Amino acid sequence: MKTAYFPGCSMAGTSREFSSSLKEVLALLNIELNEIDDWSCCGASSAHVTSHLLATALPARNLNLASQQGYDEIFAPCAACYSRLLMVSREVNNNKKMAAKVEDVLGEKLLPTPNVVNLLEYFTQIDKEKLAQLKKIDLSGLNVACYYGCLLVRPNGINELDDSEQPASMEALVSITGAKPVDWNFKTECCGAAHSIPHTNIVEILSKKIIDDAVAHKADIIVVGCPMCHSNLDMRQRKIKKDYPDTKETPILYLTELLGLSFGIDYNKLGLNLHYIDPIKLIEKRLEKEAVK
Amino acid sequence: MAQLVETAKELLKSGKVSYIIGYTAHGDNGTKPFIARTEADAEKLVFNHHCVNNLSVYINKADIPENGNIGIIAKGCDIRTITMLVQENQIKREHIYIIGVNCNGQVKDIGMNWEKENVAQKCALCEVRTPALYDVLVGDLEDFEKPEPTTMQLIQQIEAMTPKERWAYWQEQFDKCIKCYACRQACPLCYCDQCIVDKNEPQWIETSPTSRGNLSWNIIRALHQSGRCVGCGECSRVCPMGIPIGILNVKMNMISMRDFGFKPGMNINESTLVGSYNFTEKENFIR
Amino acid sequence: MNEYIITSTNINQLAGELLNEGYNVVAEAEDGTAFIAVAAGSNVILNPFGKPTNLSPKQYIFPKTETLFYYKKSQTDVEIIDPTGLGHKTVIFGTKPCDSAANKILAKVFNWDYKDEFFNKRVENTVVIGLKCGYRDAQCFCTSVGLSPESGEGSDVFLTPLENGDYLAQTITEKGAKFVEEHKKMFDAISADKNKPVPMPEAPAKKFDAAKVKVWLDSNFENEFWDGLGDLCLGCAQCAYVCPTCHCFDIVDENFDYTSGRRVKNWDCCQFTMFTKHASGHNPRSVQSDRFRQRVNHKFKYYPDRFDMILCTGCGRCSRGCGVGMDISEIVQAIDNLK
Amino acid sequence: MKIGVFVCECGENIGRTVDCKKVAEIASHYPGVAYSVDYKYMCSDPGQNLIKKAIEDYKLDAVVVGSCSPHMHEKTFRKVCSSMGINPYLVEIANLREHCSWIHDNIAEATDKAADLIRLLVEKVKYNEPLFPIHVPVTKQALVIGGGISGIQAALDIANAGFKVVMVEKEPSIGGHMSQLSETFPTLDCSQCILTPRMVEVYQHPNIKLLTYSEIENVEGFIGNFKVTIRKKARSIKEDLCNGCGMCIQKCPNKKTAKSDFDEGLTTRTAIYVPFPQAVPNIPVIDRTVCTYYKNGKCKICVKVCGRDAIDFEQEDTILTEEIGAIIVATGYKLYTIDKKPADSPIQGYGEYGYGQYKDVISGLQFERIASASGPTAGEMKRPSDGKEPKKIVFIQCVGSRDESKGFSYCSKICCMYTAKHAMLYKHKVHDGEAYVFYMDIRAGGKNYDEFVRRAIEEDGVNYIRGRVSRIYEENGKYIVKGEDTLAGLPVQIDADMVVLATAMVAQPESPKLAQILSIPYDKYGFLAELHPKLHPIETSTGGIFLAGSANSPKDIPECVAMASAAAAKTLVLFGSDMLEREPIVAKVDESTCIGCLYCKKVCPYNAIEIKEIRNRNGELIKTVAYVNTGLCQGCGTCNATCPSKSVQLLGFRDDQIFAQLCAFADTI
Amino acid sequence: MEENKFEPRIVAFVCNWCTYTGADLAGTSRLKQLPNARLIRVPCTGRIDPIFLIKAFESGADGVLVSGCHPGDCHYNSGNFHARRRWMFFKELLEFVGIDEKRVHFSWVSASEGKKWVDIVDGVIETVRAEGPFNEYEQINKKNMIPIE
């Protein structure tokens, strides 16, 4: 199994901390990510509301690049990229007409599409023991709400990793760190990503509900695996708090950051310093508490 | 082929098999089917490029007195027929000891020289140079120049014809037929005690070698083979009149491949095509 | 016996003329599978050095299928209609001695207790233009059955290839002489200087002594020699149908519809399981070895007994064509070598 | 052969477009036809007499009648002829009406065709052979698989008619799902009260042999002559000794080891247990998976307390075989698993409803238990999580059913009714409570059914909301039910105390396996298939095997009972005669030419082809050939067409008969 | 029928339970249809041996129609499934040896599809009429049948 790495725009931009923490963690597992050479937009942004063909051709190109470069699996940490790549690989395989059109657009033959995996699948593939061995700091005492958002375990029936309504795979990974995943309601509720730019007010309402429910179930932090979720929950949280003062400030971490923490990686290396809602204070507090006990 | 001889001797010595059906040298550079009953006989066994015969035909056609288990030397293609015979209840798997051979190509017909233009058609698209099923495997694979798949080409030519042309083509071919039934007798899967053509009351197929009888004979034979024929090509080979009967079967096989992804005799555990069905199946030709 | 020269061009000329005269003209097919009708304008293939055709020219005097009569039933009676066009005038070019010789052998059985008009009419109306044979292979054994690649036995006119490509034509029978007379202008007189026959390879060595073999057969119907002899025979009729002398046939009725049909005579073969199978299900020749013994005996014992002729011309077709390498000459040879 | 041809004018019906005189005239010239005549009404008495007379006068030995479709009068004319000593299968019917006169105008053409149709059959009938009905003996003992209400009803009907019945139930007690129910719609009478007496009746009936905690191992044979192998699982109790005092159960130390299936997991039970107090038979079972003794070889308290040393830890499964004449399959249903989907199952679960995650989101049957006086709450409305009385309750219909995305397209049929019932029961118990029902449609077809639903809405004030629920989540002790009111076109949100999911009926997971054992078809959901949805809803494609209850498809109690009685009736019809008479149109093997490739066996829809070994005098095997079990063969002839050597022939439609027809066709103008 | 006009001769093999009954329905509903088809009734399409079709052609048919129950409706559960698989090969085989597909027709006609039956019968007859007489087969028949004719 030769795996390609598809960063997508977020990893290079809004979610640099995701990217860096991921790299750091994998480094410990001495896994090196080999980026697809000359990758391009995954078509998630506005492509698929403007042109279906474009939205198909863009990911198809990347899939094909990967195949051409001899990869049989693509790892797309960004849930949006993942979703696009997955859906398109399905489409070109099942819809010959579309495949032909795409080939026409790209001006090249489509090779057998590689297997597409997201953050959860990627880490679930890694041997649990290996991860457990890396654990330096026990995060028990840290209550974590695992938030999957709308893409990580969907679409139902295609994404076979986990149940799309009551997923549990992230919890499994989180518990490696010793942190306690809380049982809560909004694991797969909408964060408003689609409206992120045009209707921030909607985003606020939706995101607030998520944060509130997490808090209501005693979560200290929310762990995510998707840049969109992260930006909505983290970046917008200040504004949310401004508009709804009752909101309890809750740091939002990427799964990789949480793992990194327990693997004893330096905060800044993980990019914890880049968060809008500073997680570091809270974490320190918790960990001290542990220490005192 | 010391390995082959040794294996054969061992089998006969141990009494695992009462005899072994194999090939022995015949003529200048030919072979012929041969039954080894003793270790001395086993010495005479050979395997080379001239072992085109499909010996599995002897499993239930020959009058060889059957006592105990049989050993047989078989190429991948022959073993596909053996698989069919097992699936069709003609022999129990445990009663036949298969000495599989890695096959490096065969000549078109007994006694031909081993040259590219003499390589049998069945070797052109062979997938079972190493058999899918055997009790012991002997010999090593060596590369050889595959022949042009002229059979396929011929089929495509015929398909390209108009119905009337096709009809004319086959009439010309079938008119040659003298009803010697060499095709039937040489076919390991034509094992009926009394072939439909030998049945009167009613005489579905006229026995006379005339255009009527010959047409229905060849059609019905191809039909009875469809989904069963493994394309060993013996029928075409033994036809004294040089009628390319085999391609009818090849054509049928192409259909079973296209519509069911099914190749007869490849997997002994797979259910046969004839006698099984799927609820939904190609029926665009049915109104 | 008169001798003439006929040029290869004249042979084709002759063929054309014969067609105009309404003859069936028959000669080797290009692919060498059989003797076929020569179409107007196409050349007659003479192939002295080529392998004998897969199928012998037997079919022109004893066809693979022949309608004996047609019938039409009504509620009360049956109407019988004779077939037409029986025994059409035919000329066969270039039969090798081993083929030409066959007709005489067959004539015996077809005129034995009952005179077979179908056969006789055909022989009567057929002119056989034989050809000296220059082909030798492992299966040839004409010399072992008292023939030779050079004999005109059974031909009406016998051709010998000359070095300049012409042929020496010898009239063997009355019919032959008459035929040549009728087409005189195609035949030139012999001119001593340029009549060098093409040198022929040595006649095939005798494989066995037929007389000696018969003696053994006379007393060894039951003998372990026969056991398992046919084990590997597939029991098809290739050997019999290509054979110039095999003459077994089967008579069946075929319906066209519910009132009319025909009675046909088709080739049959002693190697078929069904050949001797009784209605009861009992089969006196139950295993292939019995059937093969029958084949050998019929050719080298029964026929000689009855007609003082061996039912074999040594053309070796049966062996060449056999899919599993059964070779009758080898087997008879083996008998010869016994004890 | 002397064949008589009788052309019927059917009044004007045939006569108008077919010149029957001419047809009869033409037919009279066909070879083999000894007599040919036309008449106005062949099926009338004079017509029949005309045929009889002709048979006598002309010594006819076969008859072709040109008349209406054989589906109309074949029987009639066959009777007429057999009354004159002609075997009914030497009579053929040419369809001159439906297939000729009624569909053509041109008299010449129609007449030609009529003559042809008759000629074809004249030729065929020449090859017809006399056939005689096949008689198979009937074992007059029925097997009822399943001891639910359907099985009970069928068993009692048959037993009361005086025939022996073997009832096999896989659970330790009979009663099935009905015994779990509290009240039943539309009358709200107590389920237990009407069921228990019947259970006891079964137990005590002299004609019924009750085998609980048993399963069908194998079924051989055919209608009237089945041989059934039954596995009686080890109860670890000697049934003959146990008097059901229940001491062992009281004293069993591991009280809470297992969830109670009967209470749908709402309560726990001991390792040695009877499923429920009114269980029949009232004999405990030891659950070997949890019992301490089987775990670590110690305990044996039950042995000590049992006054009749009925406990037998070494007891093993026993295999018994029964001779059976007819089988009634009443294996019932199972509830759809609402839980989040199991990794292996192709069915999507309802994770969004949080069943299994939230204690107070429960299934229909669980609600039945809560509502039931014999249930865990003794019939009081208490929610599982904290035992509080739910003040707001939401019922969701069509959970599992009618939902393609979850893999079920069918309607579970009973949910509308039982949800209405649930809502009512709730309102009757919690007067100040609010009940909401989310529905797609209300399907209340049936006697007093719609009235029942209306009552729930109008008298008991249950709020019906037309729409689906998208999500349920818990928020400080409340369950937020988010859905849509499609009539108002508005999203709705209800903070409920308890949610009841009207889960669909699905087939028993084992039913495909059972179907294979019985060789009867089943649909893609695993429900057992009837022979014909309208005309043969009880029969299966295998003669002598009948269906009852929801093993066939979702059904409510009245339907199950009706169907069970119907199945019983079918069985009694079968038992009515000692010999079973069957159409002799069956396949026959020519063993002399059969080569035993057994493709016929592969294609036979009825497993009617068996393998027969042919041995010589010394008992050595010569060959194996196909053999047709005429008891099973239904006469489709697929084997005949498949057989390469035509060694198997379908009597009545043999090759030579069809060949003859085709030869006759050759003369068609 | 006047001489010059060609009237195709059609043999129709139909199953007893669906198509034959469907044809009955067509009759009882008085749906007019062309008179060129001759029905041969068999219990099930499973019984229809491809060899019937060949014999039909030998017997001078210009076209053949085979019809039975829809998949799943088979009175014998699975007879028509095996038939369907058989035809799949047979049809292409016939085409391959030069028997035009326009002369061999297959259909599912249920007992309730009287109208469909009529459409199919008329359809087949017209297609074959357009094809003209099956000369190829006539010729090989003649070869045997001389001098009768």
Side-chain angles (χ1 to χ4, degrees), chain C residues 65-121:
Chain C
T65 176
E66 180 159 49
T67 308
L68 301 180
F69 60 77
Y70 300 86
Y71 59 81
K72 191 149 180 55
K73 291 179 285 181
S74 76
Q75 209 169 27
T76 47
D77 62 356
V78 180
E79 174 193 4
I80 300 288
I81 304 121
D82 286 330
T84 54
L86 173 58
H88 192 87
K89 290 190 296 176
T90 307
V91 178
I92 308 180
F93 279 97
T95 57
K96 298 205 166 64
C98 49
D99 289 336
S100 323
N103 302 1
K104 277 203 165 150
I105 304 176
L106 287 173
K108 296 277 185 188
V109 68
F110 281 111
N111 292 285
W112 168 36
D113 48 358
Y114 164 83
K115 307 245 168 301
D116 185 311
E117 57 167 320
F118 294 91
F119 177 85
N120 291 338
K121 269 231 181 70

Side-chain angles (χ1 to χ4, degrees), chain D residues 94-107:
Chain D
N95 189 339
L96 302 191
R97 196 176 72 178
E98 285 82 349
H99 289 189
C100 193
S101 68
W102 274 352
I103 56 172
H104 304 314
D105 300 323
N106 179 318
I107 293 182

Side-chain angles (χ1 to χ4, degrees), chain C residues 182-238:
Chain C
E182 286 167 9
H183 306 88
K184 201 72 168 125
K185 57 181 178 314
M186 296 297 167
F187 295 87
D188 318 339
I190 313 242
S191 46
D193 54 349
K194 55 168 180 153
N195 293 3
K196 282 246 160 307
V198 181
M200 290 287 162
E202 215 169 282
K206 238 163 163 270
K207 282 192 176 173
F208 53 82
D209 175 347
K212 183 153 158 264
V213 170
K214 177 162 185 324
V215 174
W216 186 87
L217 290 173
D218 287 338
S219 52
N220 286 292
F221 184 79
E222 296 296 346
N223 183 305
E224 72 274 358
F225 176 85
W226 304 116
D227 302 347
L229 189 63
D231 279 356
L232 294 167
C233 171
L234 293 174
C236 75
Q238 184 274 147

Side-chain angles (χ1 to χ4, degrees), chain A residues 23 29 39 97 116 121 126 150 170 208 224 227 254 274:
Chain A
K23 292 224 169 69
L29 293 155
W39 59 269
K97 261 213 196 66
V116 185
E121 288 167 311
I126 298 170
C150 55
M170 203 191 294
K208 174 180 168 34
V224 299
Y254 286 104
L274 300 176

Side-chain angles (χ1 to χ4, degrees), chain B residues 17-18 32 73 91 93 118 141 147 177 185 210 212 237 264:
Chain B
V17 300
S18 51
K32 70 174 186 182
I73 295 169
I91 184 162
R93 176 67 183 93
N118 285 355
L141 285 182
C177 176
Q185 296 306 102
T210 58
R212 258 162 78 112
R237 180 177 73 83

Side-chain angles (χ1 to χ4, degrees), chain A residues 195-266:
Chain A
H195 298 305
S196 189
I197 313 300
H199 306 294
T200 42
N201 56 328
I202 295 180
V203 178
E204 284 176 25
I205 300 165
L206 292 170
S207 296
K208 174 180 168 34
K209 285 179 50 196
I210 293 167
I211 297 168
D212 287 355
D213 190 70
V215 172
H217 290 84
K218 318 257 175 320
D220 306 315
I221 62 166
I222 300 178
V223 170
V224 299
C226 165
M228 296 308 262
C229 305
H230 191 275
S231 56
N232 281 335
L233 293 173
D234 183 45
M235 183 174 76
R236 302 221 179 276
Q237 208 178 115
R238 290 252 174 75
K239 180 89 167 52
I240 295 173
K241 194 162 174 47
K242 189 152 148 293
D243 300 355
Y244 309 91
D246 65 320
T247 318
K248 177 165 175 293
E249 191 168 275
T250 315
I252 315 296
L253 264 64
Y254 286 104
L255 176 63
T256 47
E257 291 178 308
L258 190 74
L259 291 172
L261 273 171
S262 76
F263 297 170
I265 302 170
D266 173 81

